[in-house]
Amino acid sequence: MTIPNLAGVIKKDDIYQKGGGSFKASYVAWAKTSQLLREHAPGWSFHLAAKDGNYVWEAPDGTGYLMCYFAVSREHREKHGNMPLFPFPIMDNRNMPVKLEKISSRIFTDSHRRALCACAAFTFGLAYELWADEEVLEAGIQPEKPKPKASNTPPPNDGSLKKTFLSFIRTAPDLAKLQEYREKFQTRHNNGALTDAERDELLEEYMAREESLTVR
């Protein structure tokens, strides 16, 4: 049995948009992915591999990830073995990796659905066009490209803005003020005044401060 090639299967009506601005992304819902697999790859099923009886694997930094694969009939597995394992990080709603002790059932199941879609692209090429940011031929559309920055771009970033926000976040007196700082640095990131790396560093500091204020 050959591995089905599902490149080009998705249609315009299968594609949704989420987010906005630099966070805007195209995606196919996991339920639609599952339906397309049943239609175009009958007999193949999605699995999580376990390690020491646990489906959550530990990364060197203490965060968790999944190892997943697709399998078909027992005869095919006995002759060819299972498909290669596909690692997928367990992430929160900000797409940040989650420490093992903070992985809830909701985070685990959300990551399972995301892993299904990513592994389907890895194994069968299903919706690979969205992951590769290529044109969806049948749909006659192309994922939105980042708009060029205006000519009045901000001056070179010397890191001082990030340092200022770090100081504000670390000394935020309450959750309301902390949320205000987050909205401000997200806006500055959207305007190009903060790099992606600086935004990510500020988000990590924000989550640490949020936790410290919550447990008081």
Side-chain angles (χ1 to χ4, degrees), residues 171-202:
T171 58
D174 51 48
L175 290 173
K177 199 65 177 178
L178 183 64
Q179 178 62 27
E180 178 184 331
Y181 293 148
R182 178 184 175 180
E183 292 173 357
K184 287 183 178 179
F185 75 68
Q186 289 278 25
T187 299
R188 299 304 294 272
H189 170 260
N190 294 342
N191 293 338
L194 290 168
T195 66
D196 289 347
E198 289 176 325
R199 185 275 315 273
D200 292 344
E201 184 177 346
L202 290 170

CSV table of all heavy atoms in Angstrom, one decimal, residues 171-202:
chain,number,residue,atom,x,y,z
A,171,THR,N,7.8,45.6,37.6
A,171,THR,CA,7.4,46.4,38.8
A,171,THR,C,5.9,46.7,38.7
A,171,THR,O,5.4,47.5,39.5
A,171,THR,CB,8.1,47.7,38.8
A,171,THR,OG1,7.9,48.5,37.6
A,171,THR,CG2,9.6,47.5,39.0
A,172,ALA,N,5.2,46.0,37.8
A,172,ALA,CA,3.7,46.2,37.7
A,172,ALA,C,3.0,45.9,39.1
A,172,ALA,O,3.2,44.8,39.6
A,172,ALA,CB,3.1,45.3,36.6
A,173,PRO,N,2.2,46.8,39.6
A,173,PRO,CA,1.7,46.6,40.9
A,173,PRO,C,0.5,45.7,41.0
A,173,PRO,O,0.2,45.1,42.0
A,173,PRO,CB,1.2,48.1,41.3
A,173,PRO,CG,0.9,48.7,40.0
A,173,PRO,CD,1.9,48.1,39.0
A,174,ASP,N,-0.2,45.5,39.8
A,174,ASP,CA,-1.4,44.6,39.8
A,174,ASP,C,-1.6,44.0,38.4
A,174,ASP,O,-0.9,44.4,37.4
A,174,ASP,CB,-2.6,45.3,40.3
A,174,ASP,CG,-2.8,46.6,39.6
A,174,ASP,OD1,-2.8,46.6,38.3
A,174,ASP,OD2,-3.1,47.6,40.3
A,175,LEU,N,-2.5,43.1,38.3
A,175,LEU,CA,-2.8,42.5,37.0
A,175,LEU,C,-3.3,43.4,35.9
A,175,LEU,O,-3.0,43.3,34.7
A,175,LEU,CB,-3.7,41.3,37.2
A,175,LEU,CG,-3.2,40.1,37.9
A,175,LEU,CD1,-4.3,39.1,38.2
A,175,LEU,CD2,-2.1,39.4,37.2
A,176,ALA,N,-4.1,44.4,36.4
A,176,ALA,CA,-4.7,45.3,35.4
A,176,ALA,C,-3.6,46.2,34.8
A,176,ALA,O,-3.6,46.4,33.5
A,176,ALA,CB,-5.7,46.3,36.1
A,177,LYS,N,-2.7,46.6,35.6
A,177,LYS,CA,-1.6,47.4,35.1
A,177,LYS,C,-0.7,46.6,34.2
A,177,LYS,O,-0.2,47.0,33.1
A,177,LYS,CB,-0.7,48.0,36.2
A,177,LYS,CG,0.1,49.2,35.8
A,177,LYS,CD,-0.7,50.4,35.4
A,177,LYS,CE,0.1,51.6,35.0
A,177,LYS,NZ,-0.7,52.7,34.6
A,178,LEU,N,-0.5,45.3,34.6
A,178,LEU,CA,0.4,44.4,33.8
A,178,LEU,C,-0.2,44.2,32.4
A,178,LEU,O,0.5,44.2,31.4
A,178,LEU,CB,0.5,43.1,34.5
A,178,LEU,CG,1.4,42.0,33.9
A,178,LEU,CD1,2.8,42.5,33.8
A,178,LEU,CD2,1.3,40.7,34.7
A,179,GLN,N,-1.6,44.0,32.4
A,179,GLN,CA,-2.2,43.8,31.1
A,179,GLN,C,-2.1,45.1,30.2
A,179,GLN,O,-2.0,45.0,29.0
A,179,GLN,CB,-3.7,43.5,31.3
A,179,GLN,CG,-4.5,43.3,30.0
A,179,GLN,CD,-4.0,42.1,29.2
A,179,GLN,OE1,-3.5,41.2,29.7
A,179,GLN,NE2,-4.3,42.2,27.9
A,180,GLU,N,-2.2,46.2,30.8
A,180,GLU,CA,-2.0,47.5,30.1
A,180,GLU,C,-0.6,47.5,29.4
A,180,GLU,O,-0.5,47.9,28.3
A,180,GLU,CB,-2.2,48.7,31.0
A,180,GLU,CG,-2.0,50.0,30.4
A,180,GLU,CD,-2.1,51.2,31.4
A,180,GLU,OE1,-2.8,51.0,32.4
A,180,GLU,OE2,-1.4,52.2,31.2
A,181,TYR,N,0.4,47.1,30.2
A,181,TYR,CA,1.8,47.1,29.6
A,181,TYR,C,1.9,46.2,28.4
A,181,TYR,O,2.5,46.4,27.4
A,181,TYR,CB,2.8,46.8,30.7
A,181,TYR,CG,2.9,47.8,31.8
A,181,TYR,CD1,3.3,47.4,33.1
A,181,TYR,CD2,2.8,49.1,31.5
A,181,TYR,CE1,3.4,48.3,34.1
A,181,TYR,CE2,2.9,50.1,32.5
A,181,TYR,CZ,3.2,49.7,33.8
A,181,TYR,OH,3.4,50.6,34.8
A,182,ARG,N,1.2,45.0,28.6
A,182,ARG,CA,1.3,44.0,27.5
A,182,ARG,C,0.6,44.6,26.2
A,182,ARG,O,1.2,44.4,25.1
A,182,ARG,CB,0.5,42.7,27.9
A,182,ARG,CG,0.5,41.7,26.8
A,182,ARG,CD,-0.2,40.5,27.1
A,182,ARG,NE,-0.3,39.6,25.9
A,182,ARG,CZ,-0.9,38.4,25.9
A,182,ARG,NH1,-1.5,38.0,27.0
A,182,ARG,NH2,-0.9,37.7,24.8
A,183,GLU,N,-0.5,45.2,26.4
A,183,GLU,CA,-1.2,45.8,25.2
A,183,GLU,C,-0.3,46.8,24.5
A,183,GLU,O,-0.3,46.9,23.3
A,183,GLU,CB,-2.5,46.4,25.6
A,183,GLU,CG,-3.6,45.3,26.0
A,183,GLU,CD,-4.8,45.9,26.6
A,183,GLU,OE1,-4.9,47.2,26.7
A,183,GLU,OE2,-5.7,45.2,27.0
A,184,LYS,N,0.4,47.6,25.3
A,184,LYS,CA,1.3,48.6,24.8
A,184,LYS,C,2.5,48.0,24.0
A,184,LYS,O,2.8,48.5,22.9
A,184,LYS,CB,1.7,49.5,25.9
A,184,LYS,CG,0.7,50.5,26.4
A,184,LYS,CD,1.2,51.4,27.5
A,184,LYS,CE,0.1,52.4,28.0
A,184,LYS,NZ,0.6,53.3,29.0
A,185,PHE,N,3.1,47.0,24.6
A,185,PHE,CA,4.3,46.5,23.9
A,185,PHE,C,3.8,45.6,22.7
A,185,PHE,O,4.6,45.6,21.7
A,185,PHE,CB,5.2,45.7,24.8
A,185,PHE,CG,4.9,44.4,25.3
A,185,PHE,CD1,4.8,43.3,24.4
A,185,PHE,CD2,4.7,44.1,26.6
A,185,PHE,CE1,4.5,42.0,24.8
A,185,PHE,CE2,4.4,42.8,27.1
A,185,PHE,CZ,4.3,41.8,26.2
A,186,GLN,N,2.6,45.1,22.7
A,186,GLN,CA,2.1,44.4,21.5
A,186,GLN,C,1.9,45.4,20.4
A,186,GLN,O,2.2,45.1,19.2
A,186,GLN,CB,0.8,43.6,21.8
A,186,GLN,CG,1.0,42.4,22.7
A,186,GLN,CD,1.4,41.2,22.0
A,186,GLN,OE1,2.0,41.3,20.9
A,186,GLN,NE2,1.1,40.0,22.5
A,187,THR,N,1.4,46.5,20.7
A,187,THR,CA,1.2,47.6,19.7
A,187,THR,C,2.5,48.1,19.1
A,187,THR,O,2.6,48.2,17.9
A,187,THR,CB,0.4,48.8,20.4
A,187,THR,OG1,-0.9,48.3,20.8
A,187,THR,CG2,0.2,49.9,19.3
A,188,ARG,N,3.5,48.3,20.0
A,188,ARG,CA,4.8,48.7,19.5
A,188,ARG,C,5.4,47.6,18.6
A,188,ARG,O,6.1,48.0,17.7
A,188,ARG,CB,5.7,49.0,20.7
A,188,ARG,CG,5.2,50.2,21.6
A,188,ARG,CD,4.9,51.5,20.8
A,188,ARG,NE,6.1,52.0,20.3
A,188,ARG,CZ,6.9,52.9,20.9
A,188,ARG,NH1,6.5,53.3,22.1
A,188,ARG,NH2,7.9,53.4,20.4
A,189,HIS,N,5.2,46.4,19.0
A,189,HIS,CA,5.7,45.3,18.1
A,189,HIS,C,5.0,45.3,16.7
A,189,HIS,O,5.7,45.2,15.7
A,189,HIS,CB,5.5,43.9,18.8
A,189,HIS,CG,5.8,42.8,17.9
A,189,HIS,ND1,4.8,42.1,17.2
A,189,HIS,CD2,7.0,42.2,17.5
A,189,HIS,CE1,5.3,41.1,16.5
A,189,HIS,NE2,6.7,41.2,16.6
A,190,ASN,N,3.7,45.5,16.7
A,190,ASN,CA,2.9,45.6,15.5
A,190,ASN,C,3.4,46.7,14.6
A,190,ASN,O,3.4,46.6,13.4
A,190,ASN,CB,1.4,45.7,15.8
A,190,ASN,CG,0.9,44.4,16.4
A,190,ASN,OD1,1.5,43.4,16.4
A,190,ASN,ND2,-0.3,44.6,17.0
A,191,ASN,N,3.9,47.8,15.3
A,191,ASN,CA,4.3,49.0,14.5
A,191,ASN,C,5.8,48.9,14.1
A,191,ASN,O,6.3,49.8,13.4
A,191,ASN,CB,4.2,50.2,15.4
A,191,ASN,CG,2.7,50.6,15.6
A,191,ASN,OD1,1.8,50.2,14.8
A,191,ASN,ND2,2.4,51.3,16.7
A,192,GLY,N,6.4,47.8,14.5
A,192,GLY,CA,7.8,47.6,14.0
A,192,GLY,C,8.9,48.1,15.0
A,192,GLY,O,10.1,48.0,14.7
A,193,ALA,N,8.4,48.6,16.1
A,193,ALA,CA,9.4,49.2,17.1
A,193,ALA,C,10.1,48.2,17.9
A,193,ALA,O,11.2,48.4,18.5
A,193,ALA,CB,8.7,50.3,18.0
A,194,LEU,N,9.5,47.0,18.0
A,194,LEU,CA,10.1,45.8,18.7
A,194,LEU,C,10.2,44.7,17.8
A,194,LEU,O,9.3,44.4,17.0
A,194,LEU,CB,9.2,45.4,19.9
A,194,LEU,CG,9.1,46.4,21.1
A,194,LEU,CD1,8.0,46.0,22.1
A,194,LEU,CD2,10.5,46.5,21.9
A,195,THR,N,11.3,43.9,17.9
A,195,THR,CA,11.5,42.8,17.1
A,195,THR,C,10.7,41.6,17.6
A,195,THR,O,10.2,41.6,18.7
A,195,THR,CB,13.0,42.4,17.0
A,195,THR,OG1,13.4,41.9,18.3
A,195,THR,CG2,13.9,43.5,16.6
A,196,ASP,N,10.6,40.5,16.8
A,196,ASP,CA,9.9,39.3,17.3
A,196,ASP,C,10.6,38.8,18.5
A,196,ASP,O,9.9,38.3,19.4
A,196,ASP,CB,9.9,38.3,16.2
A,196,ASP,CG,8.9,38.6,15.0
A,196,ASP,OD1,8.2,39.6,15.2
A,196,ASP,OD2,9.0,38.0,14.0
A,197,ALA,N,11.9,38.7,18.5
A,197,ALA,CA,12.7,38.2,19.6
A,197,ALA,C,12.4,39.0,20.9
A,197,ALA,O,12.3,38.5,22.0
A,197,ALA,CB,14.2,38.1,19.3
A,198,GLU,N,12.4,40.4,20.7
A,198,GLU,CA,12.1,41.2,21.9
A,198,GLU,C,10.7,41.0,22.4
A,198,GLU,O,10.5,41.0,23.6
A,198,GLU,CB,12.4,42.7,21.5
A,198,GLU,CG,13.8,43.0,21.3
A,198,GLU,CD,14.0,44.4,20.8
A,198,GLU,OE1,13.2,44.9,20.0
A,198,GLU,OE2,15.0,45.1,21.2
A,199,ARG,N,9.7,40.9,21.5
A,199,ARG,CA,8.4,40.6,21.9
A,199,ARG,C,8.3,39.3,22.7
A,199,ARG,O,7.6,39.3,23.7
A,199,ARG,CB,7.5,40.6,20.6
A,199,ARG,CG,5.9,40.5,20.8
A,199,ARG,CD,5.5,39.0,21.0
A,199,ARG,NE,6.1,38.1,20.1
A,199,ARG,CZ,5.6,37.9,18.8
A,199,ARG,NH1,4.5,38.5,18.5
A,199,ARG,NH2,6.2,37.0,18.0
A,200,ASP,N,8.9,38.3,22.2
A,200,ASP,CA,8.9,37.0,22.9
A,200,ASP,C,9.5,37.1,24.3
A,200,ASP,O,9.0,36.5,25.2
A,200,ASP,CB,9.6,35.9,22.0
A,200,ASP,CG,8.9,35.6,20.8
A,200,ASP,OD1,7.7,35.9,20.6
A,200,ASP,OD2,9.5,35.0,19.9
A,201,GLU,N,10.6,37.8,24.4
A,201,GLU,CA,11.2,38.0,25.7
A,201,GLU,C,10.3,38.7,26.7
A,201,GLU,O,10.2,38.4,27.8
A,201,GLU,CB,12.5,38.8,25.6
A,201,GLU,CG,13.3,38.9,26.9
A,201,GLU,CD,14.7,39.6,26.7
A,201,GLU,OE1,15.1,39.7,25.5
A,201,GLU,OE2,15.3,40.0,27.7
A,202,LEU,N,9.6,39.7,26.1
A,202,LEU,CA,8.7,40.5,27.0
A,202,LEU,C,7.5,39.6,27.4
A,202,LEU,O,7.0,39.7,28.5
A,202,LEU,CB,8.2,41.7,26.2
A,202,LEU,CG,9.2,42.9,26.0
A,202,LEU,CD1,8.7,43.9,25.1
A,202,LEU,CD2,9.6,43.5,27.4
